[in-house]
Amino acid sequence: MGKRVALVLAGCGVFDGSEIHEASAALVHLSRGGAEVKIFAPNIEQRDVVDHLNGSPVEEKRNVLVESARLARGNIQDLAELKANEFDAVIFPGGFGVAKNLCSWAVDGKNCTVNEHVNSTLQAFHSAKKPIGLCCISPVLAAKVFPGCEVTVGQDKNVDGRFPDAETASAIAELGCKHICKNVNESHVDKANKIVTTCAFMCKAPLHEIFDGIGTMVQEVLKLA
């Protein structure tokens, strides 16, 4: 029987929701790994709505759960209904929606607050010693909720111009966590906390390398489960 995995989304679209390629990659690798997946998102209003053609905010309101349903092909549930005892692992794709909707990192950085249902979900899986997978910017959720944990968002310096958000690693360290430098096609496993992270689009890399990196994260999560 395949592992039961919850996938938590933050909307639809890189600038105000979940990064679509990351969500899709996670789902493909989970499918290949024989996992049974259910998708969740918080039933809240998005912090903002961005026109993805020009990158500018628009005067519009959208709901995170409703927008996430686009990625889930309609098969999605309110995050408030997620019960950790029904799953073997949980995975959070990245995208600015994580830093805007699942927490306030986009505005407050290391002083951010985490959505109550996101926080309770992370705490429930961690307390049950069940693995948590995170990619791109979503490792900051673990850094905020679990001081002392180990995560990666890629490199802590903008190596060859490929890691423009390298300062995120410093903010993670300021939270009392250990940042582990990894390449885009790698993931890091914090065995003590069962947290698996990979940088994905935090690195400017070809799509197939990002896809492969997410694959290593999913594989490690399934092993720990």
Side-chain angles (χ1 to χ4, degrees):
M1 184 176 175
K3 302 298 182 182
R4 301 164 300 170
V5 180
L7 187 82
V8 180
L9 298 179
C12 181
V14 59
F15 298 128
D16 58 14
S18 287
E19 209 299 318
I20 293 171
H21 297 294
E22 292 177 11
S24 179
L27 287 165
V28 169
H29 288 296
L30 285 166
S31 176
R32 184 171 286 145
E36 176 188 339
V37 181
K38 288 190 178 180
I39 305 174
F40 298 84
N43 186 9
I44 57 174
E45 188 177 300
Q46 289 184 188
R47 178 175 289 274
D48 62 10
V49 178
V50 176
D51 181 335
H52 280 60
L53 183 60
N54 59 33
S56 300
V58 296
E59 291 298 324
E60 187 178 331
K61 295 186 183 301
R62 295 193 185 186
N63 177 280
V64 174
L65 178 59
V66 172
E67 291 302 296
S68 298
R70 294 173 180 272
L71 283 170
R73 297 172 60 86
N75 189 9
I76 193 168
Q77 293 174 260
D78 187 337
L79 182 60
E81 299 173 6
L82 193 160
K83 296 179 176 60
N85 62 0
E86 296 179 355
F87 295 92
D88 301 302
V90 64
I91 288 177
F92 289 76
F96 280 104
V98 171
K100 292 178 176 181
N101 304 325
L102 302 192
C103 70
S104 62
W105 187 277
V107 176
D108 302 319
K110 62 184 177 62
N111 297 315
C112 72
T113 56
V114 178
N115 170 273
E116 60 174 320
H117 296 302
V118 173
N119 183 70
S120 61
T121 295
L122 289 167
Q123 294 282 9
F125 277 86
H126 187 258
S127 296
K129 300 189 185 321
K130 294 179 177 181
I132 299 167
L134 309 116
C135 66
C136 194
I137 190 62
S138 65
V140 302
L141 295 172
K144 185 66 180 181
V145 176
F146 307 118
C149 72
E150 298 176 358
V151 298
T152 188
V153 289
Q155 301 291 324
D156 56 11
K157 295 181 178 60
N158 190 9
V159 182
D160 297 327
R162 299 176 75 222
F163 295 88
D165 301 305
E167 71 277 1
T168 304
S170 299
I172 286 170
E174 289 176 22
L175 284 169
C177 298
K178 185 174 183 180
H179 180 266
I180 310 297
C181 291
K182 290 285 183 178
N183 292 321
V184 66
N185 59 347
E186 300 176 312
S187 56
H188 176 70
V189 181
D190 177 347
K191 294 181 180 178
N193 290 293
K194 290 194 172 182
I195 295 171
V196 188
T197 51
T198 188
C199 70
F201 278 98
M202 294 291 276
C203 176
K204 290 184 176 180
L207 184 57
H208 70 277
E209 293 183 12
I210 292 165
F211 183 90
D212 291 346
I214 293 170
T216 67
M217 181 266 286
V218 170
Q219 290 164 17
E220 293 296 341
V221 165
L222 294 178
K223 283 181 192 174
L224 289 172

